[in-house]
Amino acid sequence: MLKRLCVTACLGLAATPALALSCLAPSVTDSFNAANEREETFVMAVGEMTRTGPDTARPDAVQTGAENLPAPYSFPARFSGLSAMADGFVNPLEVDVTVEVSCVSAWCGTPPLDSYALFFLREDDEAGVIFEADPCARYSYMTPTEQDLTEVMGCALGDACGGAN
């Protein structure tokens, strides 16, 4: 069960430039487990995220100083869809989101914009709702099926939650 599962909705990469980034094939349970391992509160939601503003350098980003390597950035977006409750993805959710894009060496996260996806949105008392777009897409899953959503709801409700594929 998510550490801070709110019944209403809340639910190391190391690479060098000479190596290719290697990510596991995505699964809804891997996304759930990645969020569940964190101390922060996450909301599971399905729907679409749309960009609403330009990129900005992240003030908390560690700048590597390496030339020609991308730096982390953020941008505002709007999420529209349904968040999870005990009986499924049934709670309408419209919320402004800060998308934080992180980079590892030459690879940056690619947030799934304007596409139906399962998102794990982090709630922050000061910063609001944040979506973390990392290079391996740990906090989203593209085009989830009904079976995927049933499986991830089972994880949230305490059923066995598989790991890597």
Side-chain angles (χ1 to χ4, degrees), residues 35 93 124:
L93 179 64
D124 183 286

Side-chain angles (χ1 to χ4, degrees), residues 6-11 44-46 82-92 146 149-150 152-154 156-157:
C6 300
V7 176
T8 59
C10 304
L11 299 183
M44 288 193 317
V46 293
L82 300 169
S83 64
M85 297 181 70
D87 55 346
F89 290 89
V90 296
N91 187 44
E146 285 301 316
L149 298 180
T150 299
V152 79
M153 281 304 302
L157 296 173

Side-chain angles (χ1 to χ4, degrees), residues 27 38 75 83 98 124 129:
S27 77
R38 302 273 300 271
F75 60 86
S83 64
T98 299
D124 183 286
V129 178

Side-chain angles (χ1 to χ4, degrees), residues 3 11 22 77 135 138:
K3 288 182 178 81
L11 299 183
S22 177
R138 283 184 285 199

